[in-house]
Amino acid sequence: MKRSGILNAQLSEVLATLGHTDLLLVVDAGFPVPRDVHRIDLALAENLPDLRTVLGLIADELVVEGVVRAEDVPSHNPRLDSWLHESFAGAEFTTRPHTEVLGDLARDAKAVVRTGAFEPWGNIGLYCGVDAPRWFGGEGVVVPEQYASKV
């Protein structure tokens, strides 16, 4: 039996397949997941599991280089936005129109993880990164400018 971390087999498998720049979307209970997108449905009941718990567990296992959310999040759900900035410190934050999050962004995701969250604008995209010190920390390795501050 696995000792710790994410126990859900589907989610654990998807996380293991993600590479640099891949997008994982973690969404609320009401998100319209496109039919042709890999869907991991964790929703059991209202706020079970909640968005922050799922994102926190994923953050423990994934190198996140970028976070994208609807442009409404900073003004319409500032507590979520603050939590995201604390939880993914060092990541680049961007926004997109809500309709793009529901459409194009969802179709671009390698997978969509549906939570039981009843969280307004609770649809968050995570772009995978690399562990810069481990990748570029070797002697004689040229560190790309975008990672220089992280090595």
Side-chain angles (χ1 to χ4, degrees):
M1 180 174 167
K2 190 173 177 189
R3 184 180 302 269
S4 63
I6 293 173
L7 301 177
N8 180 281
Q10 281 187 298
L11 182 53
S12 188
E13 179 182 3
V14 163
L15 293 179
T17 68
L18 295 172
H20 190 210
T21 73
D22 279 342
L23 173 64
L24 179 70
L25 209 55
V26 182
V27 302
D28 62 27
F31 191 86
V33 179
R35 289 178 205 193
D36 56 339
V37 173
H38 185 138
R39 174 192 188 121
I40 301 168
D41 200 331
L42 303 178
L44 296 173
E46 183 177 334
N47 291 316
L48 289 175
D50 67 276
L51 185 70
R52 291 179 177 113
T53 297
V54 174
L55 284 167
L57 289 167
I58 290 171
D60 289 343
E61 297 198 19
L62 199 64
V63 176
V64 175
E65 192 168 274
V67 176
V68 61
R69 69 266 193 246
E71 60 192 5
D72 303 309
V73 172
S75 60
H76 290 56
N77 195 342
R79 289 180 63 182
L80 173 60
D81 201 52
S82 294
W83 184 90
L84 290 168
H85 280 277
E86 290 171 19
S87 299
F88 298 99
E92 180 182 334
F93 279 75
T94 58
T95 60
R96 301 273 286 275
H98 187 69
T99 55
E100 284 185 28
V101 173
L102 299 177
D104 292 341
L105 201 63
R107 285 188 289 280
D108 290 344
K110 191 160 188 181
V112 174
V113 180
R114 181 175 172 256
T115 69
F118 279 43
E119 175 97 46
W121 296 277
N123 307 307
I124 309 302
L126 304 175
Y127 285 100
C128 297
V130 296
D131 185 339
R134 293 176 78 187
W135 278 94
F136 303 112
E139 191 172 323
V141 175
V142 175
V143 180
E145 186 176 320
Q146 69 202 51
Y147 296 110
S149 67
K150 297 179 182 184
V151 175

